[in-house]
Amino acid sequence: MNLDRVATLVGELDEFPDSRAEIIFDLSAELAREGRTTEALQWLGRLAEGGGVDGALARVEMAAVHYQSGRVAEAETELARVVATPLADPSPYASAAEMLAGLGDDRAAVRWFTMAAVRFTADQIDAASGEDGWASWAFSVLWQRREARERLGLRPDDWDAGLVPPPALRSDRLLSLDDVASMRVPDGARVMFWTLSEFATAQRDLSGMIDQSVSFETYRDELEDQLRTLAARGTKVTLVPARAAEMRDYADRAGGSVTDEAIRRAYLDDVAQRTGTVAWPPGRNTPCWCGSGVKYKRCCRTRGR
């Protein structure tokens, strides 16, 4: 039981009052992972009582906890409460749809995806259309809706009309941030990445590896977009976390440079064999791949909204 993590989050509620909702979501997820579902539901219930978007999202999280515990009636009650208090923001409806799709209930997922879709603004719908639409959050929601409908054997409808799948990106070799956009792989892609804790070190110590003018935020957002491009066409994506000191030592032992493609490829193979890879996208309640410590669905998953 990770008591330290729970205690830290509880302490942050007073320390960071402006982030109270975010902290409660993380706290409830931690409690649920530890099997302390009653406490998780209590925290989420307090947030739900406040209403608004955060309140609706809290009810969706409460439904998820109930579903995971086999309490279907209670879960459906929470979702019904979301429907009973309509909001203009599509986020709670999209969150519920993703949860239901993950549970294999595509018919219910389509209903909730549609409730999210009708709440998108005209600008958001436009942003989801065309060759570059794949990078927007609205596209992600609409594309998941389309996939759920396809699994039900339903034909494309008006919401699918403007969706243009991104071009397939395939390669027969391992990919880095620099080459992922142009390489092609037959069955999947392994992509090297720097976490938040390693990025600055790599930028400082690995000459020529990362442009000095690039911020971590820019790097992270561009990589997330590229990963979506790969996944949108069915390419299985796994991530290989790189470490600056380790990569430099590996290059030195190999008598090469970290900027050499062959060295990077060999290093990634070595890391993948020794420590494994990171699946992408992460699960709904798992930490984001970028190393922020925030759940993926509230971090890089929201990029491009």
Side-chain angles (χ1 to χ4, degrees):
M1 185 176 294
N2 193 351
L3 296 176
D4 289 343
R5 174 63 175 161
V6 170
T8 297
L9 289 168
V10 171
E12 289 178 354
L13 289 170
D14 291 328
E15 187 177 357
F16 305 105
D18 291 342
S19 301
R20 182 175 178 80
E22 184 74 34
I23 295 169
I24 287 177
F25 284 125
D26 289 340
L27 173 60
S28 64
E30 187 68 36
L31 290 167
R33 276 195 295 271
E34 296 177 358
R36 299 161 64 181
T37 56
T38 299
E39 294 174 75
L41 290 168
Q42 288 173 344
W43 281 106
L44 290 169
R46 295 174 194 174
L47 190 56
E49 289 173 0
V53 175
D54 286 335
L57 286 168
R59 292 202 180 280
V60 172
E61 291 299 316
M62 292 172 73
V65 173
H66 285 309
Y67 275 128
Q68 290 164 6
S69 301
R71 297 187 292 268
V72 176
E74 290 88 341
E76 292 177 345
T77 295
E78 294 302 335
L79 293 181
R81 287 171 176 164
V82 176
V83 175
T85 309
L87 296 169
D89 192 305
S91 300
Y93 308 96
S95 181
E98 291 175 357
M99 173 190 66
L100 291 163
L103 293 171
D105 191 349
D106 284 324
R107 195 165 299 281
V110 168
R111 290 198 300 272
W112 283 86
F113 276 129
T114 302
M115 283 190 275
V118 299
R119 286 166 169 81
F120 286 130
T121 65
D123 287 343
Q124 287 176 310
I125 296 297
D126 288 343
S129 304
E131 295 292 334
D132 298 322
W134 58 269
S136 73
W137 177 59
F139 176 91
S140 176
V141 173
L142 295 174
W143 190 260
Q144 290 179 84
R145 177 182 180 274
R146 172 174 169 167
E147 290 180 324
R149 284 173 54 82
E150 287 178 348
R151 290 193 294 270
L152 292 170
L154 302 175
R155 295 181 179 180
D157 61 10
D158 291 344
W159 288 109
D160 302 323
L163 301 181
V164 179
L169 302 178
R170 302 179 181 276
S171 175
D172 59 0
R173 63 184 180 84
L174 293 171
L175 308 177
S176 70
L177 175 63
D178 295 329
D179 59 30
V180 67
S182 59
M183 296 297 104
R184 298 176 176 274
V185 296
D187 297 312
R190 280 192 292 182
V191 183
M192 184 185 77
F193 76 104
W194 303 102
T195 61
L196 175 61
S197 62
E198 286 288 328
F199 181 83
T201 303
Q203 195 171 46
R204 182 187 66 238
D205 296 345
L206 303 183
S207 178
M209 192 68 189
I210 303 174
D211 190 323
Q212 295 296 310
S213 65
V214 175
S215 68
F216 177 75
E217 290 73 22
T218 297
Y219 164 84
R220 171 201 62 198
D221 293 353
E222 288 182 354
L223 182 52
E224 175 70 17
D225 283 348
Q226 292 164 354
L227 296 175
R228 292 183 192 181
T229 301
L230 286 165
R233 291 293 289 180
T235 301
K236 181 181 179 181
V237 178
T238 54
L239 303 179
V240 180
R243 295 175 176 81
E246 186 179 68
M247 179 182 281
R248 181 179 56 202
D249 290 344
Y250 188 94
D252 289 344
R253 291 198 306 270
S257 167
V258 295
T259 60
D260 294 341
E261 178 186 317
I263 294 293
R264 292 203 308 270
R265 184 167 64 245
Y267 169 71
L268 291 184
D269 280 335
D270 180 67
V271 173
Q273 290 295 321
R274 287 188 295 105
T275 65
T277 59
V278 177
W280 187 94
R284 296 179 70 254
N285 290 313
T286 55
C288 188
W289 62 266
C290 75
S292 66
V294 178
K295 286 186 288 187
Y296 175 67
K297 67 179 179 181
R298 304 192 193 286
C299 189
C300 288
R301 174 67 178 77
T302 65
R303 307 297 171 194
R305 284 196 181 192

